[in-house]
Amino acid sequence: MTFNEINSAMEFPALSQGLIPATGANDYTNRFQAWHHQFVASALAVKIGKSLRKDIQIGCMQIYAPLYAFDCNPENQFASQFKQRAFDYFTSDVQVRGYYPTYINQLLKQYDADMPIMEKGDKALLKENVVDYIGFSYYMSMAINETSSEETDPAAGNLMEGVRNPFLEASEWGWQIDPLGLRISLNELWDRYQVPLFIVENGLGAKDTIDENGQINDDYRIDYLAKHIQAMADAVDDGVDLMGYTPWGCIDLVAASTAEMSKRYGFIYVDLNDEGNGTLDRKKKKSFEWYKKVIASNGNSVTSK
């Protein structure tokens, strides 16, 4: 995969482009220009990779989050469609299809940006060197409300702007938990592109505690992953070509989104706090042995009826 979560620059360009306000992040012209450089670099990587090995598979990698209209109001329907094009589809449209989508003009207008400057041969390079598959991270879905209804609350999650979906529970950090949304996402991506898909990140950030017996019983993480793995299996039954799944992540580490150690994702606990204090000792959580069984059974221990 050529760039990790390449579309994240729509919301936080420091993560995937290295742009901060001091280097022009607040000007969307710079973000779209940086994307163009990334698209060209990705195409060059595909070209070089294919010249070295004919059997190699090279993919893109993005965040994917289904964006639901909060209600049947056509304004919200359109707003969710626009947001989904901007966040979920723009980068993959270029990397999978090999050209800028026709809605690029509306994106540039919305974000007050200029069309990226392109060198001679860039368009041909993009067209001739598309990726073979789509890798993506999936953590949540979002609801979009543009009608300023007083009945909706802003979502507490720090990934994208949106409102709280009353039909979903949320993590301790406000990320809305939506296993069915993963099945929806897989079907949407497959229907749009007809290329294999690879879920390369999926997990629950949570505060884990060690009990009086020295155990970490993270049943909430097991429940989250089990439901998402079942949704993945259901999508395969729908006809989706899914080439792989890897959770985020194997071991606790500092969360990129909040710079906290206490937002833990791993199957292995690391003794370290948000201030950087601790022994760094490792300890298996309950989810560790559970996921070993998932791997050994190719998911059947979760999805068998």
Side-chain angles (χ1 to χ4, degrees):
M1 288 170 278
T2 54
F3 286 96
N4 183 61
E5 294 186 337
I6 187 171
N7 61 326
S8 64
M10 183 61 74
E11 301 293 340
F12 32 93
L15 188 61
S16 64
Q17 294 181 340
L19 285 174
I20 59 174
T23 57
N26 293 337
D27 184 346
Y28 274 85
T29 294
N30 293 327
R31 300 195 200 187
F32 280 94
Q33 187 65 56
W35 265 322
H36 182 70
H37 293 317
Q38 288 178 300
F39 296 150
V40 169
S42 178
L44 285 170
V46 172
K47 182 178 181 179
I48 294 169
K50 299 289 187 178
S51 72
L52 297 174
R53 278 182 52 181
K54 299 300 183 184
D55 62 335
I56 198 171
Q57 294 187 76
I58 302 176
C60 59
M61 195 287 194
Q62 64 179 81
I63 302 170
Y64 194 91
L67 295 155
Y68 308 135
F70 183 76
D71 54 26
C72 295
N73 188 320
E75 291 185 22
N76 289 331
Q77 295 290 326
F78 183 79
S80 64
Q81 182 191 60
F82 182 89
K83 186 74 171 179
Q84 189 154 40
R85 282 176 164 181
F87 188 81
D88 283 334
Y89 293 137
F90 169 61
T91 57
S92 50
D93 276 352
V94 177
Q95 292 185 282
V96 179
R97 292 174 168 171
Y99 54 86
Y100 278 78
T102 54
Y103 59 82
I104 181 64
N105 293 326
Q106 286 300 319
L107 286 186
L108 295 172
K109 181 179 178 181
Q110 175 70 24
Y111 293 102
D112 192 25
D114 296 329
M115 189 71 182
I117 298 170
M118 302 184 190
E119 300 293 333
K120 183 178 180 181
D122 283 359
K123 289 184 178 181
L125 185 69
L126 296 179
K127 186 66 176 176
E128 295 166 6
N129 299 280
V130 296
V131 295
D132 300 301
Y133 68 91
I134 298 172
F136 69 99
S137 57
Y138 178 87
Y139 292 98
M140 68 174 78
S141 62
M142 300 296 293
I144 304 299
N145 180 26
E146 295 290 322
T147 60
S148 301
S149 169
E150 296 181 0
E151 298 176 0
T152 59
D153 299 319
N158 50 26
L159 180 60
M160 293 178 293
E161 294 181 1
V163 298
R164 188 172 304 283
N165 188 329
F167 299 100
L168 298 176
E169 296 179 354
S171 74
E172 294 169 278
W173 275 264
W175 290 25
Q176 295 175 96
I177 299 170
D178 186 7
L180 183 56
L182 178 56
R183 183 179 182 180
I184 293 169
S185 300
L186 287 163
N187 275 281
E188 287 178 338
L189 284 167
W190 173 247
D191 288 346
R192 188 179 185 93
Y193 297 113
Q194 297 285 295
V195 298
L197 306 175
F198 190 167
I199 304 165
V200 294
E201 290 185 32
N202 171 237
L204 176 68
K207 294 179 179 178
D208 297 324
T209 57
I210 303 174
D211 66 18
E212 63 276 9
N213 298 315
Q215 304 298 313
I216 303 168
N217 294 307
D218 57 339
D219 295 283
Y220 39 86
R221 181 169 292 107
I222 293 172
D223 180 68
Y224 176 98
L225 292 170
K227 289 177 179 177
H228 284 76
I229 292 170
Q230 180 63 60
M232 174 179 68
D234 292 339
V236 171
D237 289 341
D238 294 337
V240 172
D241 184 353
L242 181 61
M243 62 190 293
Y245 170 87
T246 54
W248 185 269
C250 297
I251 191 169
D252 290 344
L253 76 172
V254 177
S257 58
T258 63
E260 294 173 290
M261 191 69 194
S262 56
K263 189 179 184 183
R264 299 176 182 273
Y265 286 89
F267 304 121
I268 301 170
Y269 183 91
V270 178
D271 181 27
L272 195 70
N273 62 22
D274 290 340
E275 286 69 45
N277 302 314
T279 65
L280 295 178
D281 287 345
R282 272 72 162 157
K283 179 185 289 288
K284 296 176 184 177
K285 305 176 188 178
K286 184 177 180 179
S287 58
F288 182 94
E289 297 298 336
W290 173 82
Y291 196 63
K292 278 181 65 176
K293 294 178 181 177
V294 173
I295 295 171
S297 68
N298 196 32
N300 290 327
S301 62
V302 176
T303 59
S304 57
K305 303 298 184 182

